[in-house]
């Protein structure tokens, strides 16, 4: 029991979160303006301002403010023309919302394995998927934990096969690849202002595109697909997906702080990288020559030789502590005992019971990078407000796990 040998460590007085909202003040001002002007609705000044701030910041043609990133993904899948029974290639290592959006339209997700350089969709696996299913016309690519995938290569492959790219940039707002913002690689993209993202509206999201027509259709669908008539006139299926003017007030107040949040997250990542040097671990990787992640979450991957035995069922995990070794379960449990929130790597979609009958394509037969990263990896407390000395105490706990 490696960890229990340790003593002298004290729990943190205040909980260290994985990633929690960080408010600054202007958010309240814009929310109050919505209240006082009585635009407590899905119409109002904040919404328009948020859309124009996003297009300026990201450099995309149009942004449609919606109630969530998931709603943006759903409308993106609809815009891509996915119909019942159509196969759609999608990142396997992602949050379930990415794949659910395909299911809402009756599509059949085909999960594409991750690469080891970015933990995002592997171009080699995507090539192989097109060999297996040449008729596929939609590819959904997520940028996990704020790290850009190999977007240039992935988009080239998809477009060469005549497929539309949907980019799930929910976690990567502000990150760039080859000097370009994530969210501009996909023909359509989704971003999110969920409470745990790098900036937040408490909830909310946006659909990004350079197509005026696509933006217009998404906006119309999001407000119940009302036609331009004096009465409620409908020619197609609509949704109640528009962003509220109150939420938009929070997003409007937060957007100017994206830079600051990114700098804080990068500092956290770098302190972990330096501070954990010497342990048998590596940080979540990125292509240093091409990518500037937003460092939303800092993650660890434990070397194979330093893994103690760990077993995971569908709902619970066990491990056997061994000296000099550890595992995600031990570290997460140890951190929880000391009042810090860590989390397993997002469990890959092809390992989820809900998606068990869906196809999974990796770069080579029998390969499964996602399952390996899930088994050996974890997300560390990465909250903006994590101070250097609190982070040092978190690293002491991690070190103690390997004692
Ligand atoms: C958060 C997230 C979403 C969903 O965004 P919501 O705003 O919570 O609906 C989609 N994809 C990924 C990768 C996410 O992390």
């Amino acid at each position: 029991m490696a960890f229990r040998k340790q003593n002298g460590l004290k729990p943190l007085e205040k909980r260290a979160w994985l990633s929690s909202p960080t408010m600054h003040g202007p958010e309240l001002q814009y929310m109050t303006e919505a209240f006082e002007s009585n635009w407590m609705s899905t119409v109002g000044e904040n919404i328009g301002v948020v859309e124009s701030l996003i297009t300026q910041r990201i450099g995309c043609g149009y942004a449609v403010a919606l109630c969530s990133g998931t709603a943006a993904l759903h409308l993106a899948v609809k815009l891509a023309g996915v119909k019942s029974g159509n196969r759609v290639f999608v990142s396997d290592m992602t949050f379930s919302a990415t794949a659910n959006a395909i299911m809402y339209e009756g599509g059949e997700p085909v999960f594409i394995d991750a690469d080891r350089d970015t933990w995002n969709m592997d171009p080699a696996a995507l090539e192989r998927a097109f060999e297996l299913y040449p008729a596929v016309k939609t590819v959904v690519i997520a940028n996990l934990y704020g790290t850009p995938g190999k977007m240039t290569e992935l988009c080239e492959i998809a477009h060469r096969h005549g497929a539309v790219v949907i980019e799930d940039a929910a976690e990567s707002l502000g990150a760039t690849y080859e000097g370009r913002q994530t969210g501009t690689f996909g023909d359509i993209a989704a971003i999110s202002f969920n409470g745990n993202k790098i900036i937040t509206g408490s909830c909310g999201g946006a659909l990004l595109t350079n197509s005026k027509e696509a933006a217009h259709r998404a906006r119309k669908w999001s407000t119940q697909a009302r036609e331009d008539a004096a009465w409620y006139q409908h020619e197609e299926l609509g949704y109640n997906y528009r962003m509220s003017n109150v939420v938009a007030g929070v997003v409007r107040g937060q957007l100017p702080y994206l830079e600051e949040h990114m700098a804080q997250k990068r500092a956290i990542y770098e302190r972990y990288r330096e501070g954990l040097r010497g342990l048998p671990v590596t940080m979540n990787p990125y292509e240093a020559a091409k990518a500037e992640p937003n460092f939303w979450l800092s993650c660890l991957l434990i070397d194979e030789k330093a893994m103690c035995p760990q077993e995971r069922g569908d709902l619970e995990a066990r491990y056997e502590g061994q000296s000099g070794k550890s595992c995600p379960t031990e570290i997460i449990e140890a951190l929880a005992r000391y009042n810090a929130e860590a989390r397993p790597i997002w469990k890959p979609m092809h390992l989820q019971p809900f998606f068990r009958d869906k196809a999974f394509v990796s770069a080579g037969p029998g390969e499964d990078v996602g399952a390996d990263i899930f088994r050996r990896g974890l997300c560390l407390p990465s909250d903006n407000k994590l101070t250097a000395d609190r982070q040092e105490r978190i690293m002491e706990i991690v070190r103690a796990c390997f004692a």
Side-chain angles (χ1 to χ4, degrees), residues 64-130:
V64 181
L66 299 170
C67 62
S68 69
T70 307
L73 285 165
H74 180 194
L75 297 187
V77 168
K78 250 180 98 82
L79 281 171
V82 173
K83 297 281 180 299
S84 187
N86 291 169
R87 287 195 178 90
V88 176
F89 296 150
V90 55
S91 295
D92 179 54
M93 275 195 73
T94 185
F95 180 60
S96 64
T98 321
N100 286 345
I102 297 163
M103 303 290 286
Y104 297 161
E105 289 302 304
E108 270 290 301
V110 174
F111 296 111
I112 311 297
D113 200 11
D115 66 40
R116 295 205 180 266
D117 310 329
T118 71
W119 294 5
N120 287 303
M121 188 184 284
D122 183 351
L126 181 62
E127 283 280 20
R128 199 159 160 259
F130 274 114

Side-chain angles (χ1 to χ4, degrees), residues 30-52:
Y30 294 123
M31 282 168 72
T32 306
E33 276 176 30
F35 182 94
E36 287 175 348
S37 63
N38 205 38
W39 288 104
M40 299 297 283
S41 171
T42 49
V43 184
E45 182 189 328
N46 289 329
I47 302 170
V49 173
V50 160
E51 288 182 343
S52 85

